[in-house]
Amino acid sequence: MAGHARAATGEIGAGLMGALLAVDGAVRAAREQAAWDRAEARAEDAVHRLGQALLASRAREAELARQLAAARAEATGLRIRATRAEARIPAARRA
């Protein structure tokens, strides 16, 4: 009978150990999954920030292109006006 009790106790102990190992494995897996989820969320946030920065950069580039075109148009207009004004100066004064 004592041997039977020891065998039963051993089986219970082994069963408890197996259950504890299973719980420990589940806890570790849950922690690892949570870590992966946090890393994925941070990566998505970083991609979003980069996308926003890219959009802002493109908008700034377009604004600079508009300013450059306006400056070139103004320079062309000034050249035309200067050429016309020069043409009105008598030839004797130009020499």
Side-chain angles (χ1 to χ4, degrees), residues 13-82:
L16 287 175
M17 182 58 108
L20 287 174
L21 288 174
V23 168
D24 183 58
V27 168
R28 287 177 191 233
R31 285 182 184 156
E32 185 175 336
Q33 185 60 48
W36 278 108
D37 291 345
R38 286 190 304 274
E40 186 175 345
R42 285 192 304 268
E44 287 177 4
D45 288 345
V47 168
H48 177 72
R49 283 191 307 274
L50 286 172
Q52 294 299 312
L54 178 61
L55 290 174
S57 175
R58 286 181 177 167
R60 181 68 178 139
E61 181 183 13
E63 174 60 27
L64 290 173
R66 283 190 290 277
Q67 290 176 5
L68 180 59
R72 285 179 175 164
E74 183 179 356
T76 299
L78 289 172
R79 278 191 210 102
I80 291 170
R81 283 193 288 274

